[in-house]
Amino acid sequence: MKYMLLIYNDPAREPAYGTAEFDEMMAGFFALNEQMKSDGVLCDGEGLQGVETATSLRLKSGKVETMDGPFAETREHLGGYYVVDVPDLDAALNYAALIPAAKFGTIEVRPLMDYNPAS
């Protein structure tokens, strides 16, 4: 089953770029990437550009409305994701716990829906 591991964090709690703590965090991400590849569970994953680059869209009364930034005001921002193909939720949670950002943020684990009857 495929799960999306959504990485949320408060930028104020994230290690600052250029520090030893930042380098350690990034090394943890690179190590996790390699582990999930070698385990054969990694389907996709990437970091996201900052919320200041986001555009939100909604339809109201048949008209498209766009606004700068994310829709929800929150301290934690969606910063990236992984998609893993694992046997069950417990396995997905085990990988989620290895994401370095779990130390200062939140990892949301959600099963993906499969609307493709051919697969």
Side-chain angles (χ1 to χ4, degrees):
M1 176 159 212
K2 289 185 180 174
Y3 289 86
M4 183 169 271
L5 313 178
L6 298 157
I7 304 167
Y8 292 92
N9 64 55
D10 178 349
R13 296 187 62 209
E14 182 177 283
Y17 179 77
T19 64
E21 293 82 9
F22 181 86
D23 292 343
E24 181 181 330
M25 175 188 71
M26 293 308 295
F29 274 108
F30 296 139
L32 176 59
N33 294 346
E34 291 307 313
Q35 178 181 346
M36 289 193 296
K37 285 178 191 175
S38 73
D39 291 349
V41 302
L42 183 61
C43 298
D44 196 12
E46 197 58 77
L48 301 176
Q49 291 190 24
V51 296
E52 67 279 358
T53 67
T55 302
S56 295
L57 178 144
R58 59 169 85 154
L59 293 173
K60 278 200 167 178
S61 302
K63 295 184 181 184
V64 174
E65 292 183 2
T66 61
M67 60 208 103
D68 291 338
F71 174 70
E73 288 294 324
T74 179
R75 288 178 204 232
E76 289 192 332
H77 301 168
L78 177 60
Y81 69 93
Y82 286 106
V83 176
V84 295
D85 192 353
V86 294
D88 54 34
L89 176 60
D90 287 337
L93 291 170
N94 286 335
Y95 284 105
L98 297 174
I99 297 173
K103 295 175 184 167
F104 54 86
T106 302
I107 311 302
E108 180 180 343
V109 178
R110 294 179 66 176
L112 296 182
M113 299 177 104
D114 183 4
Y115 287 119
N116 185 355
S119 63

